[in-house]
Amino acid sequence: MSSASSSKSLSSGICYLVGAGPGDPGLLTLKGKACIEKADVLVYDYLSNPAFLRFARPDAEKIYVGKKARDHAMKQEDINALIVKLTREGKVVTRLKGGDPVLFGRGAEEAAELAEAGVRFELVPGITSAIAGPAYAGIPVTHRNHASQLTIFTGHEDPTKPETALNYAKLAQADGTKVFLMGVERMEEITNALIQHGANPDTPMALVRWATHGGQRTLVATLSTMAQRVRETGFKAPAVAVVGDVVTEREAINWFENRPLFGKRIVVTRTRQQAGELTRELVDLGADVIEVPTIRIEEPKDRRGFAELVKDAHTYDWLIFTSPNGVEAFFHWFYQLYQDARSIGGVKIAAIGPGTAKKIREYRLAVDLMPEKDFVAEGLVQAFKDREDVENQTMLWIKAEETREVIANELTGLRAIVDEAIAYRTVPEREENLEALARIKAEGADVITFTSASTVDHFMALGVDLPAGTQIASIGPVTSEAVRRHGLEPAIEADPHTIPGLVAAVKQLLDA
Ligand code: SAH
C-alpha cells in the first residue's frame, strides 16, 4: 500500500459503479472518465475497454475480474467483497462495467452490498450496448415508421425450462422492436419460442458482435433463419440481437461499417502515452486497432545531471530537440526550476520534425530550424549546414538515453560544441499487453505500424511471431532499417516521416 492511501481517513473511501459504454472509447461519459482519473483502484471486466486504463493515474492499482459466460475469473460474491473491502480501506474505487451498470450488469447487486456495508458509492450510468450496438449497425431501436416501443430482455435464460422468468407468450406479442443480450448461445431456443408464441417468422433480425469496436460484425437474417445462420457462420458472443422492422433501416444508414478502413486490423506499437494520435486517426477511418505498448518512458538515471543542464539552457546558442518526449521532459524540469518563460533567454531552437516542433509550439515557443523533408538526424544536420556556419556555436541536445549519436558526431565534426542532455529513457513495457498479443496471435493482423527504431527492437524483444500475411508500415528510413535488422521487410515507408504520413501510407497499402 502506498503511503498516500494508508494515510487516508476511512471516510474518504468511495466506490463508483461506472458504465464504461459498449466499447468505442468515445462512448464513455465525462463523469465516467473523471472517476477513472481519480481512482486509487480500478476494478474492470472483459466487456469494458482496457484502453480506458490510460486515463488512470500511473500509480493506480488495476484489478481484472474477468467475466465471460464460462470463464468467471472471479465470482460475483468475491467481486462484491473485494469492492467493499477496498472502499472500506478508504480508497477511491472505480468499478468499470460494460455498457450501463444496471442493465443486466449486476450493478444493483454491487450497489446493495456497498449500501449494506455502509460505505459511500455512486452509480454512473453508461451507454448500453442494447441501444448503441444496433445504432452502430445502422439500426435505430425506435422509428416513426416502424416501432414506437422497445422491449429489452435477457437471452441468458433457457426458454425451454419451466423455471424461466421470462414470459415468451407476452414477449412474442409485444409490438415494436425487441432487443436481447447474452443470447447467441441460445439462439435456436429463443427464436423458436418467439415464433411458437405467434411472432412473425419473417421479422427482420440482426446480430451485432463486438458492437462499436473496430472489430464489429453484423449478421442479418430473419427470426426463422437466424439460428441456422449463426451455426453456418460460427457467429460468437458477445452480441446484441435486434428483432423488428427497424432492421431494414440498415440498408440506408449503415454508417459505421462503411468507413474506409473498416474491418482492417492494425497493430500500433507505441508508448501508452503516445499511442493516442496514431490510434485515433486510424480508428476514425474505421480500423480495428490493437495497441501494443512496447515501451514506456521513464526518467533518466541521472535526473540531477539532466536538471543541471536544463538550468543552464539559456547559456547555449541552440537547443536541439529530437523527440516530443524530450520536449516534454525538458519543459517539465524547466518550469520546476524557473517561474518565468523568459528564463530561457535568447537561445535558438531546432526540431527534428513536425511532431517535435508541434510539441515545442505547445509551450508557446517558435522553432528556428527544422529539416524540410528528411525528419531524421541526418536531415537535421543537413538543415544546420544549409543555414549557417556552426563553428564554435554551443548546442544542447536533449535526447533519449539510447539515441543514435549521429547528431553529436556530425555537428561536432562541423566544429560546433555539443552537450548532451539525457532527458528520458525508454524501457520495455511488460504490463498490460498480454491480452493484445493474444489477440494478434489468435486473429492475425493486416498491418503492423512502427514509429521508431526502438519500438521495433522492443516489439521484437516481446518474442511474438507476426502472423502470416501481416504487412509492415514504417514511419521512415531509420525505422525501416531496424525492421530489416530483424530479417523483415517493410511493405511501405511513410513519406513524410510523420504520423499523418504513416496513416496515409497505411491507407495506400490497404487500398492497393
Ligand atoms: N450492462 C451491459 C450488458 C451486460 S450483459 C450493457 O448495458 O451493455 C452482457 C451482454 O451484453 C453480452 O452478452 C452481449 O449480449 C451484450 N454486449 C455488451 N457489450 C457488447 C458489445 N460491445 N457488442 C455486442 N454485445 C455487447
Side-chain angles (χ1 to χ4, degrees):
M1 199 191 291
S2 73
S3 57
S5 52
S6 60
S7 64
K8 273 198 186 122
S9 78
L10 288 181
S11 62
S12 66
I14 184 162
C15 182
Y16 297 104
L17 298 168
V18 176
D24 177 342
L27 298 182
L28 173 70
T29 64
L30 294 175
K31 186 162 182 183
K33 183 175 180 228
C35 293
I36 299 175
E37 286 165 348
K38 63 186 160 194
D40 296 314
V41 191
L42 283 148
V43 180
Y44 65 106
D45 55 38
Y46 106 115
L47 283 172
S48 59
N49 194 329
F52 293 143
L53 302 178
R54 188 191 299 144
F55 301 138
R57 295 200 321 258
D59 63 327
E61 190 186 343
K62 297 164 195 123
I63 304 176
Y64 175 70
V65 292
K67 264 202 149 208
K68 286 196 205 179
R70 291 204 188 81
D71 109 69
H72 277 246
M74 200 185 271
K75 291 208 199 73
Q76 187 64 46
E77 305 90 84
D78 298 336
I79 297 173
N80 297 349
L82 176 72
I83 57 177
V84 167
K85 171 177 160 283
L86 293 167
T87 313
R88 275 215 175 113
E89 283 169 6
K91 292 186 175 141
V92 175
V93 181
T94 296
R95 164 79 170 114
L96 287 173
K97 301 174 75 76
D100 180 272
V102 295
L103 189 81
F104 305 135
R106 307 190 72 168
E109 290 164 55
E110 294 179 14
E113 291 275 338
L114 292 158
E116 195 184 306
V119 295
R120 288 198 301 150
F121 68 91
E122 287 186 21
L123 273 171
V124 182
I127 293 181
T128 178
S129 64
I131 293 174
Y136 269 55
I139 303 167
V141 290
T142 69
H143 191 285
R144 280 169 65 89
N145 302 340
H146 309 292
S148 316
Q149 180 177 325
L150 168 66
T151 306
I152 302 176
F153 65 98
T154 169
H156 194 56
E157 297 191 29
D158 187 345
T160 60
K161 293 263 168 66
E163 64 271 21
T164 174
L166 287 167
N167 183 334
Y168 271 86
K170 283 191 177 158
L171 277 177
Q173 312 289 295
D175 286 330
T177 307
K178 298 175 190 50
V179 166
F180 58 93
L181 305 183
M182 300 177 279
V184 177
E185 273 139 29
R186 293 189 198 282
M187 197 52 66
E188 182 103 54
E189 294 96 312
I190 294 168
T191 50
N192 280 345
L194 289 171
I195 292 170
Q196 274 159 21
H197 287 100
N200 180 353
D202 297 328
T203 313
M205 172 169 187
L207 275 181
V208 194
R209 172 171 205 252
W210 281 120
T212 81
H213 290 252
Q216 172 175 315
R217 289 289 176 276
T218 303
L219 184 61
V220 178
T222 64
L223 201 50
S224 62
T225 58
M226 185 56 94
Q228 192 192 339
R229 292 293 292 140
V230 165
R231 272 194 309 274
E232 283 166 5
T233 55
F235 202 89
K236 296 254 167 355
V240 180
V242 50
V243 183
D245 290 339
V246 286
V247 172
T248 58
E249 287 298 312
R250 171 175 161 84
E251 284 159 30
I253 61 170
N254 181 18
W255 59 279
F256 185 72
E257 295 169 15
N258 284 338
R259 292 164 312 149
L261 295 184
F262 181 76
K264 302 295 182 191
R265 211 168 290 124
I266 300 176
V267 181
V268 169
T269 53
R270 302 202 73 177
T271 60
R272 267 258 177 254
Q273 296 91 322
Q274 281 185 327
E277 189 187 353
L278 180 57
T279 298
R280 205 161 38 245
E281 292 205 18
L282 292 170
V283 166
D284 284 348
L285 291 168
D288 180 8
V289 173
I290 307 179
E291 285 188 353
V292 180
T294 58
I295 54 175
R296 191 173 60 221
I297 304 301
E298 286 207 341
E299 295 212 311
K301 287 198 192 102
D302 184 9
R303 289 172 68 208
R304 234 199 135 96
F306 179 59
E308 289 291 328
L309 288 165
V310 173
K311 195 166 160 221
D312 292 341
H314 63 276
T315 66
Y316 288 84
D317 295 312
W318 282 96
L319 295 182
I320 302 175
F321 291 101
T322 49
S323 69
N325 288 319
V327 178
E328 269 179 11
F330 178 88
F331 286 104
H332 170 78
W333 276 104
F334 184 81
Y335 285 113
Q336 301 260 322
L337 296 162
Y338 297 110
Q339 320 250 319
D340 182 344
R342 286 170 295 184
S343 306
I344 199 139
V347 63
K348 282 174 286 202
I349 297 179
I352 197 165
T356 304
K358 185 170 164 225
K359 215 8 114 199
I360 294 167
R361 285 190 212 102
E362 282 173 19
Y363 290 93
R364 296 288 185 274
L365 288 165
V367 174
D368 300 284
L369 180 86
M370 190 180 91
E372 246 159 52
K373 73 180 287 286
D374 276 330
F375 307 131
V376 293
E378 290 78 0
L380 185 63
V381 171
Q382 188 59 46
F384 269 113
K385 280 188 191 157
D386 293 344
R387 176 189 163 111
E388 63 186 25
D389 183 1
V390 296
E391 184 166 351
N392 284 331
Q393 300 259 313
T394 55
M395 301 183 170
L396 183 63
W397 175 24
I398 290 92
K399 65 188 283 276
E401 195 166 85
E402 28 322 78
T403 312
R404 297 177 311 141
E405 290 301 322
V406 175
I407 288 182
N409 292 345
E410 295 272 320
L411 289 173
T412 309
L414 299 171
R415 296 174 189 280
I417 300 151
V418 183
D419 285 339
E420 296 182 22
I422 297 178
Y424 63 96
R425 17 187 222 129
T426 50
V427 297
E429 173 71 87
R430 302 213 182 278
E431 278 173 72
E432 288 167 32
N433 54 20
L434 295 174
E435 216 169 313
L437 296 177
R439 257 197 87 193
I440 297 171
K441 209 168 154 198
E443 301 169 27
D446 296 291
V447 178
I448 179 164
T449 61
F450 289 112
T451 49
S452 72
S454 69
T455 48
V456 175
D457 293 336
H458 284 110
F459 181 81
M460 297 303 171
L462 295 173
V464 251
D465 289 327
L466 286 182
T470 308
Q471 305 193 77
I472 297 173
S474 144
I475 198 166
V478 179
T479 304
S480 300
E481 210 33 64
V483 170
R484 287 188 198 103
R485 276 202 303 278
H486 291 277
L488 297 166
E489 185 58 37
I492 198 161
E493 189 178 282
D495 187 12
H497 316 314
T498 58
I499 296 295
L502 185 57
V503 172
V506 169
K507 254 185 101 194
Q508 192 188 326
L509 191 59
L510 292 171
D511 280 346

